[in-house]
Amino acid sequence: MTTTGRHAIEPPVDPTVDPITAHGDLELEDISLNVGGRWALERLTLGLHPGEVTSLSGPSGSGKTTLLSIAGGIVKPTTGFASYAGRHMWLGDGDPRHEVAFVLQVYGLVPILSARENVAIALRARGLSPRDADERADEELTRFFIGDLGDRQVEELSGGQMQRVACARAFAVSPEILLADEPTSELDEGNREHVMDQLRIEAARGAIVVVATHDPAVVEVSDRTLVLDEGRLVPAEDSAYGSGR
């Protein structure tokens, strides 16, 4: 059901990134989700490991986004549970735990705010002062080559630029669990490779990094691949989605 990335490379080293103390795997135990009489996920049990990039692949509608949502604690499963560091991920209100950050496929940005403000509000929610949050936001935007767009309203940006703002917001909070849903879908080859490098840096500092993707190039450089089809894990070696072909 899983495979190790055959072409995975050593992650780039970033001396400015502080390591974190891992608290074990993100565990999904007997997870199922029924939506309107249809099983979006069926009886999944797996562990997502710190220190590696796991790609989650499969056809559209296979359950990738649903799995990320349950793993991150924003959707309650019909059966089973997700847990990390001895606590359930679902807290009862649909808000993720503070250890989790998402890069959403639909970006999840506030269109009337600037790129800087969209990143800074996530930092202020974690206790940073407005000044420190703005400074950190500018650093993260620069990390994704959009430091010059900090004052621009998000609604004025291209899809690829918004995707990188969403990445900057998630990376800025230095999460222990980073869940990215199609984070490279709007990017050209150069920016796609850069985002994957940054994901690998996050894994190298000890984070659990999971990337839902249709992109074979992303699968190729992942440390591990999971393949979903109709809500079930299938052997990656038997699937074009898992092989990167």
Side-chain angles (χ1 to χ4, degrees):
M1 294 181 183
T2 68
T3 187
T4 300
R6 292 166 297 165
H7 302 283
I9 57 175
E10 288 299 314
V13 176
D14 186 341
T16 68
V17 176
D18 294 328
I20 63 173
T21 301
H23 292 93
D25 290 353
L26 172 55
E27 300 281 0
L28 280 69
E29 182 69 32
D30 196 31
I31 293 290
S32 298
L33 183 70
N34 190 284
V35 181
R38 173 184 173 272
W39 291 101
L41 291 176
E42 290 193 62
R43 303 291 183 182
L44 300 185
T45 295
L46 59 100
L48 300 166
H49 313 314
E52 66 181 26
V53 177
T54 299
S55 64
L56 182 60
S57 194
S60 297
S62 59
K64 299 186 298 296
T65 298
T66 301
L67 191 151
L68 288 184
S69 299
I70 291 174
I74 62 175
V75 169
K76 181 181 180 181
T78 305
T79 69
F81 60 89
S83 65
Y84 175 68
R87 296 173 53 219
H88 282 201
M89 299 303 293
W90 173 255
L91 300 179
D93 56 9
D95 289 333
R97 285 169 47 174
H98 69 88
E99 301 100 328
V100 179
F102 280 91
V103 180
L104 299 173
Q105 188 173 10
V106 293
Y107 313 135
L109 304 174
V110 182
I112 62 172
L113 297 182
S114 70
R116 178 184 301 108
E117 289 168 334
N118 267 278
V119 178
I121 56 175
L123 293 161
R124 292 176 65 176
R126 284 166 166 79
L128 268 69
S129 69
R131 179 177 179 177
D132 288 345
D134 284 348
E135 290 179 356
R136 180 65 180 274
D138 283 336
E139 292 172 0
E140 293 299 322
L141 292 171
T142 299
R143 180 180 184 178
F144 290 97
F145 305 143
I146 48 174
D148 59 330
L149 301 179
D151 293 324
R152 293 269 297 275
Q153 284 189 333
V154 163
E155 62 187 3
E156 299 173 353
L157 302 180
S158 69
Q161 290 167 341
M162 286 191 286
Q163 196 159 53
R164 284 182 283 164
V165 173
C167 287
R169 181 182 59 186
F171 284 62
V173 301
S174 300
E176 295 178 28
I177 301 170
L178 179 56
L179 305 174
D181 196 355
E182 299 285 358
T184 63
S185 61
E186 298 287 339
L187 303 181
D188 59 27
E189 182 178 358
N191 280 309
R192 178 187 66 200
E193 291 178 355
H194 181 70
V195 167
M196 287 305 301
D197 283 346
Q198 300 309 305
L199 288 166
R200 292 181 64 78
I201 286 172
E202 292 301 297
R205 71 177 178 85
I208 296 168
V209 180
V210 187
V211 185
T213 185
H214 285 97
D215 189 340
V218 173
V219 172
E220 285 288 318
V221 298
S222 299
D223 300 301
R224 178 188 182 204
T225 299
L226 301 171
V227 180
L228 281 172
D229 195 358
E230 296 184 348
R232 299 177 180 178
L233 287 173
V234 299
E237 60 271 19
D238 296 337
S239 170
Y241 290 95
S243 68
R245 292 192 298 267

